[in-house]
């Protein structure tokens, strides 16, 4: 039987891991240049479960994944957040709907620059929904806080 509301927080070297039922979120920061970083917010899903793209067609029923970063005057986001994974378009002919979803894994990646090459934190929230072909869990909100070191 699947565990629906299990919350585990494990601190790892350079990354964090947080499980919420059939989805596990992994956070990782990669330094690219002196003041430039790549932040990876990766969703790992149990077999049969799906997470949803940030961008959805107008007919989509599931809620899109929403990632928000808290304001930090030392951080400048560079470009839009990208998604990496095996995205599929799912059509439901009965409801006449379409949605964009990921199974197994999706990596949300944001590039950013830190001013003055100082230590700071990047924090924010992820609001997401997961479903199988038979059921959906209610949307959940989780917080993250990542350290950016020079």
């Amino acid at each position: 039987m699947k565990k629906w509301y299990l919350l585990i927080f494990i601190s790892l070297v350079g990354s964090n891991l947080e499980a919420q039922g059939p989805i596990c979120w992994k956070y990782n920061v990669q330094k690219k240049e002196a003041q430039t970083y790549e932040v990876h917010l990766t969703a790992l899903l149990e077999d049969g479960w799906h997470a949803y793209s940030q961008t959805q067609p107008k007919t989509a029923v599931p809620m899109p994944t929403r990632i928000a970063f808290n304001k930090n005057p030392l951080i400048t986001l560079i470009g839009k957040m990208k998604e990496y994974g095996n995205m599929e378009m799912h059509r439901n002919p009965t409801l006449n709907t379409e949605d964009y979803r990921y199974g197994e894994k999706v990596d949300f990646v944001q590039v950013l620059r830190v001013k003055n090459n100082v230590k700071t934190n990047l924090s924010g929230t992820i609001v997401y929904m997961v479903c199988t072909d038979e059921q959906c869990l209610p949307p959940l909100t989780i917080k993250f806080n990542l350290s950016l070191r020079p």
Side-chain angles (χ1 to χ4, degrees), residues 4 9 13 16 25 45 66 71 82 96 103 113 119:
W4 288 32
F9 184 78
V13 177
N16 295 316
W25 286 93
L45 296 131
R66 299 192 195 287
K71 298 235 184 243
K82 296 183 180 175
N96 196 28
R113 184 169 292 120
K119 179 182 176 184

Side-chain angles (χ1 to χ4, degrees), residues 2-89:
K2 301 205 187 281
K3 297 175 184 174
W4 288 32
Y5 296 104
L6 174 66
L7 175 61
I8 300 172
F9 184 78
I10 302 170
S11 293
L12 302 172
V13 177
S15 71
N16 295 316
L17 190 67
E18 187 169 329
Q20 285 278 330
I23 188 170
C24 178
W25 286 93
K26 180 180 178 184
Y27 315 122
N28 188 296
V29 176
Q30 297 174 358
K31 189 170 184 175
K32 293 299 182 181
E33 295 175 10
Q35 295 169 299
T36 305
Y37 299 81
E38 246 183 27
V39 174
H40 293 259
L41 308 172
T42 306
L44 306 170
L45 296 131
E46 289 182 8
D47 287 343
W49 288 89
H50 301 96
Y52 295 90
S53 174
Q54 298 172 95
T55 307
Q56 292 292 326
K58 290 181 181 181
T59 63
V61 173
M63 185 188 85
T65 300
R66 299 192 195 287
I67 299 172
F69 298 106
N70 295 330
K71 298 235 184 243
N72 180 333
L74 298 174
I75 295 175
T76 302
L77 302 179
I78 301 172
K80 292 184 178 184
M81 180 172 287
K82 296 183 180 175
E83 300 176 2
Y84 297 97
N86 186 18
M87 185 171 66
E88 59 183 65
M89 183 196 306

